[in-house]
Amino acid sequence: MTKSELMDIIGRKQKHLPAKDVELAVKHILEVMSDSLSSGERIEIRGFGSFSLHYRPPRMGRNPKTGEAVALSGKYVPHFKPGKDLRERVNTGRENPIRS
Amino acid sequence: MALTKAEMAEALFNELGLNKREARELVDLFFEELRSSLARGEQVKLSGFGNFDLRDKRERPGRNPKTGEEIPISARRVVTFRPGQKLKARVEAYAGTGEQ
C-alpha cells in the first residue's frame, strides 16, 4: 500500500469529506510525525506502536571510492517498536502472502 | 512528552479546519488502515516517511530470562520500519541531549 492508496481507502470510508481534505490530512499527519521525531520527541500510538530515536555513536568510516578513512560523527536514527495489537494482528495474518 | 493521536487530531483541527470529530476519525482511520494493510500481508510505503515491511521468522531456540528454562520461540511474522531518506536526514540533524 502506498500513500496515495492509503488516501483512496480513507476517502472511500469518509465519503462526506472532499478528497482534497483527506489528501491534506494524510500529508499533515506524516508531517507532524516527522517534525516530532526531528525535534527529538517520541511518538506513542496505543495499539499501533511507538517511534523513538536511537543514538549511533561516532565511528571511523571509509570513503568507498578512495579507501580514505573519515571520521563520522554520532547521529540519531528513527526506531519503531510495534505495539501489542499490531504485533498480534500481523502474526494472525501470517497465512496471507507478503506483498509490497 | 510524546506526540499522541490527540495532538495529531488537534493539529488537523487547527491547521486544516476539520471539525474535532472529523479530525479524530481521520487520525484513527489512518492508523487502522496501516494495521489492516499489514494484517493482510500488504507492506506499506509512505514516501518521505518510511516503509513498514513484513518478515517471516522461523522458530528459534529461546530461554525464559527469569527461570533460565529453554523454550522455543515460535515461528512468527513481524513488522519492521525502514525510515525513508528524508526522515533519516531530518532526524540525523537532531543534536539532542541523548535522553532517548
Side-chain angles (χ1 to χ4, degrees):
Chain A
M1 182 170 75
T2 61
K3 202 192 291 179
S4 57
E5 287 166 348
L6 173 63
M7 289 165 178
D8 289 347
I9 294 172
I10 296 177
R12 264 182 266 135
K13 296 192 176 176
Q14 296 280 295
K15 287 205 194 301
H16 58 284
L17 285 181
K20 191 72 199 162
D21 283 6
V22 173
E23 187 189 322
L24 283 174
V26 167
K27 285 186 179 163
H28 206 68
I29 291 170
L30 291 169
E31 193 54 38
V32 172
M33 290 173 74
S34 299
D35 287 348
S36 175
L37 286 174
S38 45
S39 63
E41 191 189 18
R42 296 166 50 84
I43 305 171
E44 288 178 8
I45 309 297
R46 182 154 319 151
F48 183 78
S50 59
F51 297 85
S52 60
L53 301 186
H54 280 187
Y55 183 63
R56 297 278 176 264
R59 62 187 176 92
M60 290 304 288
R62 263 178 208 289
N63 179 329
K65 271 200 190 124
T66 63
E68 195 187 352
V70 275
L72 297 172
S73 50
K75 64 174 184 181
Y76 285 89
V77 292
H79 177 78
F80 174 65
K81 184 170 187 283
K84 188 161 180 273
D85 185 43
L86 179 60
R87 280 204 312 269
E88 288 176 355
R89 283 175 63 181
V90 159
N91 195 41
T92 309
R94 213 143 54 92
E95 72 280 5
N96 300 316
I98 295 177
R99 288 166 299 145
S100 7
Chain B
M1 263 312 288
L3 176 69
T4 62
K5 285 201 295 186
E7 284 161 324
M8 294 180 195
E10 191 69 20
L12 295 185
F13 168 74
N14 289 330
E15 285 155 63
L16 298 186
L18 297 170
N19 71 43
K20 293 209 172 179
R21 187 182 47 82
E22 288 167 343
R24 262 201 316 269
E25 283 179 7
L26 273 173
V27 173
D28 279 338
L29 258 180
F30 175 89
F31 290 104
E32 178 49 33
E33 293 308 327
L34 296 188
R35 265 194 303 260
S36 326
S37 173
L38 294 166
R40 60 177 184 266
E42 233 183 279
Q43 307 184 104
V44 177
K45 294 181 194 299
L46 303 173
S47 76
F49 187 75
N51 298 348
F52 294 90
D53 292 337
L54 295 168
R55 298 181 63 161
D56 285 323
K57 306 277 216 178
R58 282 190 303 212
E59 181 184 290
R60 61 194 166 92
R63 222 172 246 294
N64 179 330
K66 276 207 188 111
T67 63
E69 186 195 358
E70 277 206 47
I71 28 164
I73 298 169
S74 57
R76 63 192 62 197
R77 179 172 288 179
V78 297
V79 187
T80 60
F81 176 65
R82 298 192 41 141
Q85 280 307 320
K86 199 168 149 197
L87 179 62
K88 273 206 277 196
R90 287 190 63 187
V91 162
E92 227 171 271
Y94 170 66
T97 51
E99 87 280 15
Q100 296 222 16

